[in-house]
Amino acid sequence: MRAHRSSAVAAIAVAATLTAVAGCAAKSDGKGAGGKGAIAVTASDSACKVSAKDFPAGHVQFAVDNKGSQVTEVYVYAPGDRIVTERENIGPGTHVEITAEIKPGAYEIACKPGMKGHGIRQKVTASGKGAAVKRNPKLDAAVSAYRTWVQEQADQTLPEAQKFADAVKAGDVEAARKTYALSRVGWERTEPVAESFGDIDPKVDTRADGLSDGQKWTGWHKLEQSLWEKKKISADDKKLADQLITDLKDWQKRVGKAVINPTTMANGAKELLDEVATGKVTGEEERYSHTDLIDFHANVEGAQKAYELLKPVVAKNDPALAKELDKQFAAILKQLDGHRDSNSADGFASYDTVGKDERKTLSDSVNALAEPLSKLAAAVAEAK
């Protein structure tokens, strides 16, 4: 679940501790740096200014400067609020650059001060001029393989989720606890694809502090609260278990229709690290069950899968970047292996047993991987 905060104060606190995870982030010099032809997006607490409302389709670079006092997010939405690309955790005074493959059409660019709500939106148009993207055949192969893998993850999730739902419907708290985290692995590995649809993620993976006004709380985390905090299963929970399966089947059917290209794969890998930074390292995602480590591992696995499929092209185009990514993926997975627990149902230690210093070490590893990973989309876009 992409991070949402119930208050601007919470958002600022997260940014203060996780600034280095904000992407290819650097403190802004106020000049709106970006490559030639980049679309400048200037975000503040009350505005979202875009330097061009009409630009050529194709590989587009957005140069984002947060001039506000709150952490912000920037999204590019296609009609129906389908997410084309996004970047979270853009701290005050921070500059990030986002590379995306944009097809001709109408879009909205949204800035979300405090990382919440509908956002301040600007309508933009990508014209047909420059729309043709010449792609290395190896990248087409990577997209095809990734699409197959994402579908496999969705297909494998349903049986695990059904075990969880059946335990809930049987009123068996212990069985439901044991199957809860395992039911989420495929989702966590491919979350950016699921989130791209816009409407499924809020149904199945919203936390209590991420609810929109008037939204009924459904999905995994509502059931997580019942199992660990309330320690009982209500009649409504049993209905929610059925609803979870219905929503996940919808996701399973729609995965094959997701818009996937090399830059969405690369940006998705970075988004998964953002998920780790804002939810798993902080312990906010699984606040009742403390099963954050298996989510953490699944997010990293998903990011690594996207990278590994893109690697044949990236290694040729930017060998230094590929070498650094290999190093940092190996390092973070080794650290996670150190927190395995064979006595746990999901194979990892409960996150409430991980001390402050150990969490800091994990956070540092996320930072070390996030920095080179933020360069992956640009390296892919430049590949010939």
Side-chain angles (χ1 to χ4, degrees):
M1 173 66 191
R2 71 175 61 90
H4 293 284
R5 298 292 175 265
S6 57
S7 70
V9 173
I12 293 170
V14 170
T17 56
L18 297 172
T19 300
V21 191
C24 50
K27 286 297 181 180
S28 173
D29 59 6
K31 298 178 181 179
K36 184 178 180 181
I39 308 303
V41 180
T42 305
S44 69
D45 295 344
S46 59
C48 186
K49 297 180 180 179
V50 180
S51 64
K53 299 291 185 69
D54 194 316
F55 48 82
H59 283 135
V60 179
Q61 185 180 54
F62 298 95
V64 182
D65 284 286
N66 183 3
K67 300 296 183 68
S69 63
Q70 301 181 69
V71 180
T72 196
E73 302 173 324
V74 171
Y75 290 76
V76 178
Y77 287 114
D81 274 6
R82 179 178 63 79
I83 299 171
V84 177
T85 191
E86 64 176 293
R87 184 60 52 86
E88 302 176 357
N89 302 318
I90 305 172
T94 297
H95 173 85
V96 302
E97 295 178 7
I98 311 167
T99 301
E101 186 174 318
I102 308 291
K103 294 182 178 181
Y107 298 88
E108 288 186 325
I109 295 177
C111 304
K112 298 187 178 183
M115 301 196 299
K116 61 182 180 180
H118 183 72
I120 304 165
R121 301 197 177 197
Q122 294 283 357
K123 295 183 183 297
V124 297
T125 301
S127 66
K129 182 181 178 182
V133 175
K134 294 181 179 179
R135 187 176 293 157
N136 186 315
K138 291 183 178 179
L139 290 177
D140 286 330
V143 170
S144 178
Y146 184 70
R147 188 179 293 279
T148 297
W149 182 76
V150 169
Q151 185 66 63
E152 288 173 350
Q153 294 304 305
D155 293 344
Q156 292 167 15
T157 293
L158 262 297
E160 297 299 325
Q162 190 65 62
K163 292 177 187 176
F164 171 64
D166 288 346
V168 172
K169 290 164 64 179
D172 191 333
V173 172
E174 285 307 308
R177 284 181 172 185
K178 289 179 180 178
T179 52
Y180 167 75
L182 295 173
S183 75
R184 291 173 48 75
V185 172
W187 173 275
E188 290 291 336
R189 286 173 176 160
T190 61
E191 196 164 1
V193 176
E195 288 181 344
S196 71
F197 297 118
D199 61 334
I200 297 177
D201 181 84
K203 295 177 183 178
V204 305
D205 201 29
T206 297
R207 305 194 302 252
D209 56 348
L211 295 170
S212 302
D213 291 342
Q215 179 186 350
K216 181 182 178 181
W217 193 14
T218 60
W220 271 304
H221 293 303
K222 174 64 177 72
L223 295 170
E224 178 202 7
Q225 183 197 47
S226 294
L227 293 169
W228 274 273
E229 185 177 80
K230 297 182 179 179
K231 300 180 175 63
K232 61 182 181 180
I233 295 170
S234 68
D236 187 52
D237 289 333
K238 294 178 181 181
K239 293 178 182 178
L240 290 179
D242 278 333
Q243 185 61 47
L244 175 64
I245 297 301
T246 297
D247 292 334
L248 289 175
K249 285 181 177 178
D250 182 28
W251 162 57
Q252 180 189 29
K253 291 177 182 178
R254 291 164 66 181
V255 160
K257 301 176 183 178
V259 176
I260 299 175
N261 57 54
T263 56
T264 64
M265 288 172 62
N267 285 326
K270 176 60 176 63
E271 289 163 26
L272 284 168
L273 262 290
D274 288 344
E275 291 283 342
V276 172
T278 58
K280 281 68 174 186
V281 169
T282 61
E284 294 177 76
E285 179 81 1
E286 307 290 359
R287 63 190 63 175
Y288 311 110
S289 64
H290 305 300
T291 56
D292 301 273
L293 286 170
I294 189 171
D295 286 3
F296 190 146
H297 191 265
N299 287 159
V300 174
E301 283 183 315
Q304 186 181 41
K305 182 66 176 183
Y307 161 62
E308 290 291 345
L309 290 172
L310 296 169
K311 183 179 173 181
V313 172
V314 175
K316 182 178 179 181
N317 192 52
D318 192 341
L321 177 61
K323 183 178 180 180
E324 183 64 16
L325 285 169
D326 287 342
K327 174 185 173 182
Q328 297 302 338
F329 270 117
I332 199 168
L333 288 170
K334 182 178 180 180
Q335 280 200 357
L336 285 168
D337 283 343
H339 294 283
R340 290 188 181 274
D341 182 353
S342 60
N343 295 317
S344 170
D346 62 45
F348 284 92
S350 179
Y351 201 56
D352 58 351
T353 68
V354 178
K356 182 178 179 181
D357 290 344
E358 292 174 299
R359 293 189 185 200
K360 175 63 165 58
T361 299
L362 286 169
S363 180
D364 289 344
S365 294
V366 174
N367 293 349
L369 174 57
E371 194 281 326
L373 199 57
S374 69
K375 301 176 182 177
L376 185 59
V380 167
E382 293 169 1
K384 303 299 182 183

